[in-house]
Amino acid sequence: MNAPLHTPSLASMAPFIAPHGTLRVAINLGNPVLAGLDSAGEPSGISADLSRSLAARLGVGIEWRIFKKADDSVKCVRADEADIGFFAIDPVRGEGLHFSPPYVQIEGAYMVRSDSPLQSNDEVDQAAHRVTVGAGSAYDLFLTRHLKHASIVRAPSSPAVVEVFMAQQLEVAAGVKQQLEADALRLPGVRLLPGRFMVIHQAMGMPAQRSAAAREQLNAFVEEAKSSGWVAEAFVRHQIKGAAVAPAGYPTQD
């Protein structure tokens, strides 16, 4: 049972944040650090807990919109088919969305084969290297901007990255560090490059056309979740390792 946020009611804001009478929530299952499904098939994880706490404060129920790809979740909220979603902050995604301050920071890492000559992240961007990422993911958007020589191979989704990496004998896989670490434990002959190639600032988001008051209340909700220790407690509750509570305010875009 997730612990609620002990903060004042937002019932007066319900018509502005959840104008359809329920909080329609887009959940992306592509990042297992933040979201998944429990044994009953219901959304679980820190993203789901934040959604339930917000709905409770608004005094409304929840309707879930569940996706396997971040890009589909983004499109859902941007089209006002959901009231909130959970996204990596990225300038490409900014059109049509309002991002809250981030609530968690996650590292992006590279995986290579054990016999790969690559030893550091700085060596990846070479013309001979093919890097696979989940199509439309934060890693795809970031690496599309930053890789100048290596080519990008887009897997259908983030969970499919390692499968594509192995099947196509690619040089590098890119993704959530914790997921790649779990894959490395179950797959022989692979390893992670040390460190990280990016930091993902994970935030809540809503359609950009929501009122200024609604956007401000969402921002305040996320900041309170961090400052009260709720996010840190959620890490313990969901056994999240390798992530960090985001500092107050907004990150600087790359």
Side-chain angles (χ1 to χ4, degrees), residues 37-61:
L37 298 177
D38 64 19
S39 58
E42 290 293 311
S44 64
I46 186 172
S47 298
D49 288 359
L50 277 168
S51 303
R52 292 186 176 102
S53 288
L54 179 59
R57 288 185 58 191
L58 293 169
V60 300

Side-chain angles (χ1 to χ4, degrees), residues 63-253:
E63 292 180 8
W64 301 106
R65 310 282 193 266
I66 299 174
F67 300 96
K68 295 182 179 180
K69 294 173 56 178
D71 199 37
D72 291 337
S73 179
V74 169
K75 291 175 182 175
C76 179
V77 177
R78 185 179 285 152
D80 199 11
E81 294 173 358
D83 302 305
I84 63 167
F86 297 85
F87 313 119
I89 296 175
D90 186 276
V92 173
R93 289 179 174 166
E95 183 180 355
L97 293 177
H98 165 73
F99 293 120
S100 77
Y103 60 95
V104 64
Q105 295 176 328
I106 304 168
E107 295 182 340
Y110 289 132
M111 172 186 280
V112 297
R113 285 176 174 72
S114 297
D115 60 0
S116 170
L118 293 176
Q119 299 297 323
S120 72
N121 295 324
D122 292 341
E123 297 172 358
V124 168
D125 193 13
Q126 299 181 39
H129 297 155
R130 297 163 297 170
V131 181
T132 184
V133 297
S137 66
Y139 318 98
D140 183 4
L141 299 175
F142 180 89
L143 293 175
T144 296
R145 291 193 297 275
H146 290 274
L147 291 181
K148 306 303 181 185
H149 306 289
S151 58
I152 294 176
V153 177
R154 292 175 174 86
S157 65
S158 292
V161 162
V162 173
E163 178 183 346
V164 171
F165 166 71
M166 299 295 286
Q168 297 188 24
Q169 295 291 300
L170 303 177
E171 287 73 34
V172 183
V176 178
K177 187 172 186 177
Q178 292 92 328
Q179 182 61 58
L180 293 181
E181 287 174 336
D183 290 331
L185 290 175
R186 66 180 179 83
L187 294 172
V190 298
R191 59 182 170 85
L192 269 65
L193 295 182
R196 67 195 186 199
F197 69 85
M198 72 176 293
V199 175
I200 303 98
H201 302 277
Q202 196 76 19
M204 296 180 74
M206 62 171 38
Q209 60 265 38
R210 291 290 190 270
S211 68
R215 298 195 298 269
E216 289 170 4
Q217 289 295 335
L218 184 67
N219 295 353
F221 173 79
V222 171
E223 290 289 20
E224 194 278 334
K226 293 185 293 185
S227 65
S228 68
W230 186 94
V231 174
E233 292 170 3
F235 284 2
V236 176
R237 187 165 62 250
H238 294 291
Q239 301 180 345
I240 297 171
K241 298 179 180 179
V245 179
Y250 288 84
T252 301
Q253 293 292 344

